[in-house]
């Protein structure tokens, strides 16, 4: 519990370091860079401007390094915690299997049980190591950045957030389809592993009754079903990511077009626009 809480606690400073970078660039552009540009090439003293730009650059580098260290600590702690949870879960599951009555194994294939104990538990590892941290970090990032965008430029934020409902719809639709596809894939893998275990453990009987060809055909059917279920999952992923990419590019182009009008009209500083764009 403490390791999970520590991982979650590192989300806030990691996000702060991530948000600090664009803010530093905005201060640099609207500060010394804009002041030097207004003075013109003939009236500006280059040495102090370069010194100030260097200081801002070193500060940006320090913030980036701090953010990288925080991400390293968070990822290490979360992955270590996830692997520890899965380690204990697999041991507990095996102890439970040893206590089950023999009649239970008559109703369940050994290959099915092996799949539950190995690959299905590994899928839980993905949840504990990346799923929880990624969801928490992404939700926190979205909430904070939405507020920051509105504070920076309400007009430009309206353009940036106009397609957010479409992204939410696409994401929830993908989640539903992916869940169905993944469950079918896990079931197909269980059936294939169960058949494989049974045939290999009873290989002498298979050869005695000359069932090699029939077993090969049956395995081909199970393998084909597993292939089809996997391809359905691939299709959902291949549709989801390009759709999200198109929507995100539409948001960027809308912000670029409307932000250009605001820049020309003088109602939006250049540094704020760059900061908004990076967020």
């Amino acid at each position: 519990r403490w390791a999970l809480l520590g991982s979650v606690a590192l989300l806030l400073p990691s996000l702060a370091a991530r948000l600090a970078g664009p803010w530093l660039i905005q201060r640099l552009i609207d500060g010394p860079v804009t002041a030097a540009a207004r003075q013109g090439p003939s009236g500006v003293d280059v040495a102090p401007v370069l010194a100030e730009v260097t200081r801002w650059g070193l500060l940006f580098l320090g913030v980036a390094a701090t953010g990288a260290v925080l991400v390293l600590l968070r990822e290490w702690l979360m992955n270590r915690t996830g692997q520890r949870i899965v380690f204990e879960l697999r041991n507990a599951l095996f102890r439970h299997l040893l206590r089950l009555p023999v009649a239970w194994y008559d109703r369940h294939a050994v290959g099915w049980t092996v799949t539950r104990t190995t690959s299905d538990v590994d899928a839980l590892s993905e949840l504990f190591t990346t799923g929880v941290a990624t969801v928490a970090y992404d939700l926190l990032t979205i909430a904070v950045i939405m507020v920051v965008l509105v504070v920076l430029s309400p007009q430009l934020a309206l353009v940036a957030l106009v397609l957010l409902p479409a992204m939410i719809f696409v994401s929830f639709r993908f989640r539903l389809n992916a869940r169905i596809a993944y469950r079918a894939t896990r079931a197909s893998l269980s059936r294939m592993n169960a058949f494989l275990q049974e045939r290999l453990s009873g290989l002498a009987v298979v050869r005695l009754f000359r069932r090699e060809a029939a077993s090969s055909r049956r395995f081909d059917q199970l393998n084909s079903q597993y292939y089809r279920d996997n391809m359905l999952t691939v299709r959902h992923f291949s549709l989801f990511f390009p759709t999200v990419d198109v929507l995100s590019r539409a948001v960027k182009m809308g912000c670029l077009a409307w932000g250009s009008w605001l820049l020309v009209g003088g109602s939006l500083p250049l540094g704020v626009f760059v900061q908004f764009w990076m967020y």
Side-chain angles (χ1 to χ4, degrees):
R1 295 187 184 94
W2 290 111
L4 287 174
L5 289 176
S7 302
V8 174
L10 288 172
L11 295 178
L12 288 176
S14 299
L15 180 59
R18 186 177 178 184
L19 296 177
W23 178 78
L24 291 173
I25 293 178
Q26 180 267 324
R27 297 296 299 271
L28 173 63
I29 294 176
D30 290 340
V33 174
T34 300
R38 288 174 178 172
Q39 295 178 10
S42 58
V44 63
D45 189 0
V46 178
V49 174
L50 289 179
E52 191 168 1
V53 169
T54 302
R55 285 194 297 270
W56 282 101
L58 292 176
L59 184 58
F60 182 88
L61 182 62
V63 169
T66 302
V69 172
L70 291 173
V71 171
L72 174 64
L73 290 175
R74 191 184 77 238
E75 291 294 325
W76 177 83
L77 190 59
M78 182 60 70
N79 279 274
R80 179 181 179 275
T81 305
Q83 292 299 327
R84 185 66 186 178
I85 292 173
V86 172
F87 170 78
E88 296 181 0
L89 182 62
R90 190 178 284 115
N91 282 338
L93 182 59
F94 182 71
R95 289 193 297 268
H96 174 71
L97 291 174
L98 293 178
R99 293 194 300 267
L100 288 175
V102 178
W104 187 89
Y105 289 98
D106 293 334
R107 299 190 305 267
H108 298 82
V110 176
W112 180 90
T113 309
V114 171
T115 303
R116 292 293 179 269
T117 313
T118 54
S119 60
D120 283 3
V121 174
D122 289 335
L124 286 180
S125 172
E126 188 77 12
L127 168 68
F128 289 120
T129 54
T130 60
V132 175
T134 301
V135 169
Y137 185 72
D138 287 348
L139 289 177
L140 180 64
T141 302
I142 290 173
V144 172
I145 286 186
M146 285 177 63
V147 175
V148 172
L149 294 181
V150 173
V151 172
L152 288 177
S153 176
Q155 293 178 323
L156 206 55
L158 183 63
V159 178
L161 301 178
V162 68
L163 289 179
L164 185 60
M167 287 192 175
I168 294 176
F169 172 78
V170 170
S171 298
F172 273 87
R173 186 67 181 177
F174 166 75
R175 182 181 66 89
L176 177 62
N177 293 334
R179 181 173 60 184
I180 296 174
Y182 268 122
R183 285 178 176 175
T185 302
R186 308 303 300 176
S188 299
L189 179 61
S190 297
R191 288 191 294 268
M192 187 173 67
N193 285 343
F195 179 83
L196 183 63
Q197 187 275 333
E198 290 171 354
R199 289 303 184 274
L200 292 181
S201 61
L203 188 59
V205 178
V206 171
R207 289 179 175 174
L208 179 63
F209 289 94
R210 304 295 300 272
R211 301 298 296 172
E212 295 95 332
S215 298
S216 179
R217 288 193 298 270
R218 178 56 181 162
F219 183 80
D220 180 70
Q221 294 174 357
L222 295 172
N223 193 24
S224 298
Q225 183 62 46
Y226 181 56
Y227 170 79
R228 288 192 294 270
D229 290 336
N230 267 306
M231 290 306 299
L232 182 59
T233 304
V234 170
R235 186 172 66 185
H236 290 315
F237 272 94
S238 63
L239 290 174
F240 173 68
F241 287 106
T243 303
V244 172
D245 186 60
V246 169
L247 292 175
S248 64
R249 289 177 184 272
V251 170
K252 289 182 179 180
M253 292 309 300
C255 291
L256 180 61
W258 184 238
S260 300
W261 282 101
L262 296 177
L263 283 172
V264 173
S267 59
L268 183 67
L270 177 60
V272 174
F273 174 73
V274 173
Q275 181 186 10
F276 190 97
W277 178 268
M278 295 182 70
Y279 285 147

mmCIF file with all atom_site columns, all heavy atoms in Angstrom, residues 8 19 23 32 37 54 64 72 75 122 137 189 208 250-251 261 273:
data_model
loop_
_atom_site.group_PDB
_atom_site.id
_atom_site.type_symbol
_atom_site.label_atom_id
_atom_site.label_alt_id
_atom_site.label_comp_id
_atom_site.label_asym_id
_atom_site.label_entity_id
_atom_site.label_seq_id
_atom_site.pdbx_PDB_ins_code
_atom_site.Cartn_x
_atom_site.Cartn_y
_atom_site.Cartn_z
_atom_site.occupancy
_atom_site.B_iso_or_equiv
_atom_site.pdbx_formal_charge
_atom_site.auth_seq_id
_atom_site.auth_comp_id
_atom_site.auth_asym_id
_atom_site.auth_atom_id
_atom_site.pdbx_PDB_model_num
ATOM 1   N N   . VAL A 1 8   ? 1.655  7.190   -6.440  1.00 0.00 ? 8   VAL A N   1
ATOM 2   C CA  . VAL A 1 8   ? 0.644  8.209   -6.720  1.00 0.00 ? 8   VAL A CA  1
ATOM 3   C C   . VAL A 1 8   ? 1.130  9.585   -6.269  1.00 0.00 ? 8   VAL A C   1
ATOM 4   O O   . VAL A 1 8   ? 0.877  10.599  -6.924  1.00 0.00 ? 8   VAL A O   1
ATOM 5   C CB  . VAL A 1 8   ? -0.684 7.827   -6.040  1.00 0.00 ? 8   VAL A CB  1
ATOM 6   C CG1 . VAL A 1 8   ? -1.714 8.945   -6.189  1.00 0.00 ? 8   VAL A CG1 1
ATOM 7   C CG2 . VAL A 1 8   ? -1.227 6.537   -6.627  1.00 0.00 ? 8   VAL A CG2 1
ATOM 8   N N   . LEU A 1 19  ? 4.656  20.702  -16.604 1.00 0.00 ? 19  LEU A N   1
ATOM 9   C CA  . LEU A 1 19  ? 3.992  21.968  -16.922 1.00 0.00 ? 19  LEU A CA  1
ATOM 10  C C   . LEU A 1 19  ? 4.951  23.150  -16.854 1.00 0.00 ? 19  LEU A C   1
ATOM 11  O O   . LEU A 1 19  ? 4.694  24.191  -17.472 1.00 0.00 ? 19  LEU A O   1
ATOM 12  C CB  . LEU A 1 19  ? 2.826  22.206  -15.954 1.00 0.00 ? 19  LEU A CB  1
ATOM 13  C CG  . LEU A 1 19  ? 1.664  21.216  -16.017 1.00 0.00 ? 19  LEU A CG  1
ATOM 14  C CD1 . LEU A 1 19  ? 0.632  21.540  -14.950 1.00 0.00 ? 19  LEU A CD1 1
ATOM 15  C CD2 . LEU A 1 19  ? 1.016  21.239  -17.389 1.00 0.00 ? 19  LEU A CD2 1
ATOM 16  N N   . TRP A 1 23  ? 5.921  26.902  -19.509 1.00 0.00 ? 23  TRP A N   1
ATOM 17  C CA  . TRP A 1 23  ? 5.846  28.192  -18.808 1.00 0.00 ? 23  TRP A CA  1
ATOM 18  C C   . TRP A 1 23  ? 7.177  28.933  -18.884 1.00 0.00 ? 23  TRP A C   1
ATOM 19  O O   . TRP A 1 23  ? 7.207  30.152  -19.091 1.00 0.00 ? 23  TRP A O   1
ATOM 20  C CB  . TRP A 1 23  ? 5.454  27.954  -17.354 1.00 0.00 ? 23  TRP A CB  1
ATOM 21  C CG  . TRP A 1 23  ? 5.400  29.219  -16.542 1.00 0.00 ? 23  TRP A CG  1
ATOM 22  C CD1 . TRP A 1 23  ? 4.406  30.153  -16.530 1.00 0.00 ? 23  TRP A CD1 1
ATOM 23  C CD2 . TRP A 1 23  ? 6.403  29.689  -15.634 1.00 0.00 ? 23  TRP A CD2 1
ATOM 24  N NE1 . TRP A 1 23  ? 4.709  31.179  -15.666 1.00 0.00 ? 23  TRP A NE1 1
ATOM 25  C CE2 . TRP A 1 23  ? 5.935  30.919  -15.103 1.00 0.00 ? 23  TRP A CE2 1
ATOM 26  C CE3 . TRP A 1 23  ? 7.635  29.204  -15.220 1.00 0.00 ? 23  TRP A CE3 1
ATOM 27  C CZ2 . TRP A 1 23  ? 6.666  31.654  -14.173 1.00 0.00 ? 23  TRP A CZ2 1
ATOM 28  C CZ3 . TRP A 1 23  ? 8.364  29.939  -14.293 1.00 0.00 ? 23  TRP A CZ3 1
ATOM 29  C CH2 . TRP A 1 23  ? 7.887  31.135  -13.789 1.00 0.00 ? 23  TRP A CH2 1
ATOM 30  N N   . PRO A 1 32  ? 12.872 38.576  -22.411 1.00 0.00 ? 32  PRO A N   1
ATOM 31  C CA  . PRO A 1 32  ? 14.063 39.108  -23.091 1.00 0.00 ? 32  PRO A CA  1
ATOM 32  C C   . PRO A 1 32  ? 14.012 39.025  -24.618 1.00 0.00 ? 32  PRO A C   1
ATOM 33  O O   . PRO A 1 32  ? 14.504 39.924  -25.302 1.00 0.00 ? 32  PRO A O   1
ATOM 34  C CB  . PRO A 1 32  ? 15.201 38.252  -22.529 1.00 0.00 ? 32  PRO A CB  1
ATOM 35  C CG  . PRO A 1 32  ? 14.550 37.011  -22.033 1.00 0.00 ? 32  PRO A CG  1
ATOM 36  C CD  . PRO A 1 32  ? 13.204 37.430  -21.560 1.00 0.00 ? 32  PRO A CD  1
ATOM 37  N N   . ALA A 1 37  ? 13.660 42.091  -29.597 1.00 0.00 ? 37  ALA A N   1
ATOM 38  C CA  . ALA A 1 37  ? 13.073 42.271  -30.926 1.00 0.00 ? 37  ALA A CA  1
ATOM 39  C C   . ALA A 1 37  ? 12.509 43.673  -31.098 1.00 0.00 ? 37  ALA A C   1
ATOM 40  O O   . ALA A 1 37  ? 12.582 44.257  -32.193 1.00 0.00 ? 37  ALA A O   1
ATOM 41  C CB  . ALA A 1 37  ? 11.977 41.223  -31.146 1.00 0.00 ? 37  ALA A CB  1
ATOM 42  N N   . THR A 1 54  ? 20.581 32.190  -21.769 1.00 0.00 ? 54  THR A N   1
ATOM 43  C CA  . THR A 1 54  ? 21.318 31.028  -21.251 1.00 0.00 ? 54  THR A CA  1
ATOM 44  C C   . THR A 1 54  ? 20.811 30.623  -19.878 1.00 0.00 ? 54  THR A C   1
ATOM 45  O O   . THR A 1 54  ? 20.658 29.437  -19.585 1.00 0.00 ? 54  THR A O   1
ATOM 46  C CB  . THR A 1 54  ? 22.818 31.352  -21.180 1.00 0.00 ? 54  THR A CB  1
ATOM 47  O OG1 . THR A 1 54  ? 23.289 31.721  -22.495 1.00 0.00 ? 54  THR A OG1 1
ATOM 48  C CG2 . THR A 1 54  ? 23.600 30.149  -20.686 1.00 0.00 ? 54  THR A CG2 1
ATOM 49  N N   . ALA A 1 64  ? 13.716 19.874  -16.738 1.00 0.00 ? 64  ALA A N   1
ATOM 50  C CA  . ALA A 1 64  ? 13.571 18.638  -17.516 1.00 0.00 ? 64  ALA A CA  1
ATOM 51  C C   . ALA A 1 64  ? 14.286 17.476  -16.832 1.00 0.00 ? 64  ALA A C   1
ATOM 52  O O   . ALA A 1 64  ? 13.760 16.352  -16.784 1.00 0.00 ? 64  ALA A O   1
ATOM 53  C CB  . ALA A 1 64  ? 14.118 18.844  -18.928 1.00 0.00 ? 64  ALA A CB  1
ATOM 54  N N   . LEU A 1 72  ? 11.475 8.453   -13.506 1.00 0.00 ? 72  LEU A N   1
ATOM 55  C CA  . LEU A 1 72  ? 12.255 7.237   -13.249 1.00 0.00 ? 72  LEU A CA  1
ATOM 56  C C   . LEU A 1 72  ? 11.867 6.611   -11.908 1.00 0.00 ? 72  LEU A C   1
ATOM 57  O O   . LEU A 1 72  ? 11.635 5.397   -11.825 1.00 0.00 ? 72  LEU A O   1
ATOM 58  C CB  . LEU A 1 72  ? 13.745 7.574   -13.264 1.00 0.00 ? 72  LEU A CB  1
ATOM 59  C CG  . LEU A 1 72  ? 14.709 6.447   -12.870 1.00 0.00 ? 72  LEU A CG  1
ATOM 60  C CD1 . LEU A 1 72  ? 14.642 5.307   -13.871 1.00 0.00 ? 72  LEU A CD1 1
ATOM 61  C CD2 . LEU A 1 72  ? 16.130 6.967   -12.754 1.00 0.00 ? 72  LEU A CD2 1
ATOM 62  N N   . GLU A 1 75  ? 8.206  5.178   -12.173 1.00 0.00 ? 75  GLU A N   1
ATOM 63  C CA  . GLU A 1 75  ? 8.119  3.951   -12.962 1.00 0.00 ? 75  GLU A CA  1
ATOM 64  C C   . GLU A 1 75  ? 8.769  2.775   -12.238 1.00 0.00 ? 75  GLU A C   1
ATOM 65  O O   . GLU A 1 75  ? 8.237  1.663   -12.240 1.00 0.00 ? 75  GLU A O   1
ATOM 66  C CB  . GLU A 1 75  ? 8.794  4.167   -14.330 1.00 0.00 ? 75  GLU A CB  1
ATOM 67  C CG  . GLU A 1 75  ? 8.047  5.112   -15.254 1.00 0.00 ? 75  GLU A CG  1
ATOM 68  C CD  . GLU A 1 75  ? 6.703  4.551   -15.674 1.00 0.00 ? 75  GLU A CD  1
ATOM 69  O OE1 . GLU A 1 75  ? 6.589  3.318   -15.842 1.00 0.00 ? 75  GLU A OE1 1
ATOM 70  O OE2 . GLU A 1 75  ? 5.754  5.355   -15.816 1.00 0.00 ? 75  GLU A OE2 1
ATOM 71  N N   . ASP A 1 122 ? -0.075 -12.630 -15.698 1.00 0.00 ? 122 ASP A N   1
ATOM 72  C CA  . ASP A 1 122 ? 0.798  -11.645 -16.336 1.00 0.00 ? 122 ASP A CA  1
ATOM 73  C C   . ASP A 1 122 ? 0.001  -10.450 -16.857 1.00 0.00 ? 122 ASP A C   1
ATOM 74  O O   . ASP A 1 122 ? 0.494  -9.320  -16.863 1.00 0.00 ? 122 ASP A O   1
ATOM 75  C CB  . ASP A 1 122 ? 1.571  -12.289 -17.487 1.00 0.00 ? 122 ASP A CB  1
ATOM 76  C CG  . ASP A 1 122 ? 2.637  -13.246 -16.991 1.00 0.00 ? 122 ASP A CG  1
ATOM 77  O OD1 . ASP A 1 122 ? 3.090  -13.063 -15.846 1.00 0.00 ? 122 ASP A OD1 1
ATOM 78  O OD2 . ASP A 1 122 ? 3.016  -14.166 -17.730 1.00 0.00 ? 122 ASP A OD2 1
ATOM 79  N N   . TYR A 1 137 ? -2.383 9.340   -13.902 1.00 0.00 ? 137 TYR A N   1
ATOM 80  C CA  . TYR A 1 137 ? -1.568 10.455  -14.391 1.00 0.00 ? 137 TYR A CA  1
ATOM 81  C C   . TYR A 1 137 ? -2.254 11.173  -15.556 1.00 0.00 ? 137 TYR A C   1
ATOM 82  O O   . TYR A 1 137 ? -2.264 12.407  -15.616 1.00 0.00 ? 137 TYR A O   1
ATOM 83  C CB  . TYR A 1 137 ? -0.202 9.926   -14.830 1.00 0.00 ? 137 TYR A CB  1
ATOM 84  C CG  . TYR A 1 137 ? 0.765  11.008  -15.248 1.00 0.00 ? 137 TYR A CG  1
ATOM 85  C CD1 . TYR A 1 137 ? 1.326  11.836  -14.305 1.00 0.00 ? 137 TYR A CD1 1
ATOM 86  C CD2 . TYR A 1 137 ? 1.105  11.181  -16.595 1.00 0.00 ? 137 TYR A CD2 1
ATOM 87  C CE1 . TYR A 1 137 ? 2.226  12.830  -14.684 1.00 0.00 ? 137 TYR A CE1 1
ATOM 88  C CE2 . TYR A 1 137 ? 1.984  12.165  -16.971 1.00 0.00 ? 137 TYR A CE2 1
ATOM 89  C CZ  . TYR A 1 137 ? 2.558  12.991  -16.009 1.00 0.00 ? 137 TYR A CZ  1
ATOM 90  O OH  . TYR A 1 137 ? 3.422  13.977  -16.387 1.00 0.00 ? 137 TYR A OH  1
ATOM 91  N N   . LEU A 1 189 ? -7.231 -18.681 -26.308 1.00 0.00 ? 189 LEU A N   1
ATOM 92  C CA  . LEU A 1 189 ? -5.920 -19.142 -25.858 1.00 0.00 ? 189 LEU A CA  1
ATOM 93  C C   . LEU A 1 189 ? -6.063 -20.248 -24.821 1.00 0.00 ? 189 LEU A C   1
ATOM 94  O O   . LEU A 1 189 ? -5.301 -21.233 -24.837 1.00 0.00 ? 189 LEU A O   1
ATOM 95  C CB  . LEU A 1 189 ? -5.135 -17.969 -25.272 1.00 0.00 ? 189 LEU A CB  1
ATOM 96  C CG  . LEU A 1 189 ? -3.737 -18.297 -24.726 1.00 0.00 ? 189 LEU A CG  1
ATOM 97  C CD1 . LEU A 1 189 ? -2.841 -18.832 -25.841 1.00 0.00 ? 189 LEU A CD1 1
ATOM 98  C CD2 . LEU A 1 189 ? -3.112 -17.064 -24.070 1.00 0.00 ? 189 LEU A CD2 1
ATOM 99  N N   . LEU A 1 208 ? -1.245 -44.523 -30.280 1.00 0.00 ? 208 LEU A N   1
ATOM 100 C CA  . LEU A 1 208 ? -1.762 -45.887 -30.240 1.00 0.00 ? 208 LEU A CA  1
ATOM 101 C C   . LEU A 1 208 ? -3.039 -46.017 -31.076 1.00 0.00 ? 208 LEU A C   1
ATOM 102 O O   . LEU A 1 208 ? -3.215 -47.002 -31.804 1.00 0.00 ? 208 LEU A O   1
ATOM 103 C CB  . LEU A 1 208 ? -2.043 -46.289 -28.784 1.00 0.00 ? 208 LEU A CB  1
ATOM 104 C CG  . LEU A 1 208 ? -2.628 -47.687 -28.562 1.00 0.00 ? 208 LEU A CG  1
ATOM 105 C CD1 . LEU A 1 208 ? -1.639 -48.752 -29.032 1.00 0.00 ? 208 LEU A CD1 1
ATOM 106 C CD2 . LEU A 1 208 ? -2.989 -47.889 -27.102 1.00 0.00 ? 208 LEU A CD2 1
ATOM 107 N N   . ALA A 1 250 ? -6.665 17.849  -35.976 1.00 0.00 ? 250 ALA A N   1
ATOM 108 C CA  . ALA A 1 250 ? -7.698 18.852  -36.252 1.00 0.00 ? 250 ALA A CA  1
ATOM 109 C C   . ALA A 1 250 ? -7.721 19.917  -35.159 1.00 0.00 ? 250 ALA A C   1
ATOM 110 O O   . ALA A 1 250 ? -7.883 21.119  -35.433 1.00 0.00 ? 250 ALA A O   1
ATOM 111 C CB  . ALA A 1 250 ? -9.060 18.172  -36.367 1.00 0.00 ? 250 ALA A CB  1
ATOM 112 N N   . VAL A 1 251 ? -7.556 19.493  -33.905 1.00 0.00 ? 251 VAL A N   1
ATOM 113 C CA  . VAL A 1 251 ? -7.490 20.455  -32.802 1.00 0.00 ? 251 VAL A CA  1
ATOM 114 C C   . VAL A 1 251 ? -6.285 21.374  -32.973 1.00 0.00 ? 251 VAL A C   1
ATOM 115 O O   . VAL A 1 251 ? -6.386 22.610  -32.803 1.00 0.00 ? 251 VAL A O   1
ATOM 116 C CB  . VAL A 1 251 ? -7.419 19.702  -31.459 1.00 0.00 ? 251 VAL A CB  1
ATOM 117 C CG1 . VAL A 1 251 ? -7.092 20.659  -30.323 1.00 0.00 ? 251 VAL A CG1 1
ATOM 118 C CG2 . VAL A 1 251 ? -8.733 18.998  -31.173 1.00 0.00 ? 251 VAL A CG2 1
ATOM 119 N N   . TRP A 1 261 ? -4.925 34.467  -35.928 1.00 0.00 ? 261 TRP A N   1
ATOM 120 C CA  . TRP A 1 261 ? -5.761 35.670  -35.955 1.00 0.00 ? 261 TRP A CA  1
ATOM 121 C C   . TRP A 1 261 ? -5.613 36.467  -34.662 1.00 0.00 ? 261 TRP A C   1
ATOM 122 O O   . TRP A 1 261 ? -5.552 37.706  -34.687 1.00 0.00 ? 261 TRP A O   1
ATOM 123 C CB  . TRP A 1 261 ? -7.230 35.281  -36.160 1.00 0.00 ? 261 TRP A CB  1
ATOM 124 C CG  . TRP A 1 261 ? -7.559 34.933  -37.575 1.00 0.00 ? 261 TRP A CG  1
ATOM 125 C CD1 . TRP A 1 261 ? -7.694 33.695  -38.103 1.00 0.00 ? 261 TRP A CD1 1
ATOM 126 C CD2 . TRP A 1 261 ? -7.776 35.851  -38.660 1.00 0.00 ? 261 TRP A CD2 1
ATOM 127 N NE1 . TRP A 1 261 ? -7.978 33.756  -39.450 1.00 0.00 ? 261 TRP A NE1 1
ATOM 128 C CE2 . TRP A 1 261 ? -8.047 35.071  -39.803 1.00 0.00 ? 261 TRP A CE2 1
ATOM 129 C CE3 . TRP A 1 261 ? -7.765 37.241  -38.765 1.00 0.00 ? 261 TRP A CE3 1
ATOM 130 C CZ2 . TRP A 1 261 ? -8.300 35.640  -41.046 1.00 0.00 ? 261 TRP A CZ2 1
ATOM 131 C CZ3 . TRP A 1 261 ? -8.021 37.816  -39.994 1.00 0.00 ? 261 TRP A CZ3 1
ATOM 132 C CH2 . TRP A 1 261 ? -8.283 37.020  -41.134 1.00 0.00 ? 261 TRP A CH2 1
ATOM 133 N N   . PHE A 1 273 ? 1.008  32.069  -26.811 1.00 0.00 ? 273 PHE A N   1
ATOM 134 C CA  . PHE A 1 273 ? 0.549  31.151  -27.859 1.00 0.00 ? 273 PHE A CA  1
ATOM 135 C C   . PHE A 1 273 ? 1.449  29.909  -27.927 1.00 0.00 ? 273 PHE A C   1
ATOM 136 O O   . PHE A 1 273 ? 0.963  28.783  -28.068 1.00 0.00 ? 273 PHE A O   1
ATOM 137 C CB  . PHE A 1 273 ? 0.542  31.855  -29.212 1.00 0.00 ? 273 PHE A CB  1
ATOM 138 C CG  . PHE A 1 273 ? 0.231  30.939  -30.363 1.00 0.00 ? 273 PHE A CG  1
ATOM 139 C CD1 . PHE A 1 273 ? -1.051 30.460  -30.561 1.00 0.00 ? 273 PHE A CD1 1
ATOM 140 C CD2 . PHE A 1 273 ? 1.235  30.539  -31.235 1.00 0.00 ? 273 PHE A CD2 1
ATOM 141 C CE1 . PHE A 1 273 ? -1.337 29.598  -31.614 1.00 0.00 ? 273 PHE A CE1 1
ATOM 142 C CE2 . PHE A 1 273 ? 0.958  29.682  -32.287 1.00 0.00 ? 273 PHE A CE2 1
ATOM 143 C CZ  . PHE A 1 273 ? -0.336 29.214  -32.479 1.00 0.00 ? 273 PHE A CZ  1
#
